[in-house]
Amino acid sequence: MNSRETGRAASFVIQYTKAADKFFRRHEDVKTAYIQALREVMTGEHPERVDLKRIQGKHHVYYRIRIGDWRVVYAVIDGKVIVIQTLLAGSRGDVYKKMDGLK
């Protein structure tokens, strides 16, 4: 599943893995907050309000956004249009345990 977002600074496409899509179908409120957080970071509008961190210790560059008790893990792929690949979403403990399966 893909969705396209545009802002003042950049347009970006959000791609969801099967696991992330399944989570977001059950948690529409978290998905809405996630998209809003990405929009704030990408456009530069109040990025300080977003709890965003780079995940340490992986070969690839992964980031996580904290939304309440939930964590959303994603990677950014650069190009003409920025592609954000949403990999995992879930509770804090579950997401970090599932990270071991990512390459």
Side-chain angles (χ1 to χ4, degrees):
M1 178 182 204
N2 294 332
S3 64
R4 184 175 290 275
E5 299 291 327
T6 58
R8 277 186 298 168
S11 67
F12 56 98
V13 175
I14 305 172
Q15 296 178 338
Y16 300 92
T17 62
K18 187 176 179 179
D21 190 42
K22 182 178 178 181
F23 174 84
F24 284 133
R25 275 188 266 128
R26 287 180 284 152
H27 302 279
E28 283 289 329
D29 57 329
V30 177
K31 182 177 183 178
T32 302
Y34 171 60
I35 291 170
Q36 180 60 36
L38 286 175
R39 189 177 296 125
E40 288 179 9
V41 169
M42 298 303 291
T43 62
E45 294 178 19
H46 309 291
E48 70 279 356
R49 294 192 298 193
V50 179
D51 188 352
L52 170 74
K53 290 187 180 176
R54 181 174 179 201
I55 296 177
Q56 300 293 319
K58 293 291 178 185
H59 297 292
H60 298 286
V61 179
Y62 297 118
Y63 297 93
R64 73 97 175 120
I65 289 181
R66 181 176 157 256
I67 300 169
D69 291 335
W70 304 107
R71 305 299 188 273
V72 181
V73 177
Y74 69 95
V76 178
I77 304 165
D78 286 324
K80 286 187 177 181
V81 175
I82 298 170
V83 177
I84 298 170
Q85 185 176 24
T86 307
L87 303 167
L88 297 169
S91 67
R92 178 180 170 259
D94 290 342
V95 165
Y96 295 124
K97 287 176 188 173
K98 291 177 184 176
M99 286 282 309
D100 291 336
L102 296 177
K103 296 181 177 166

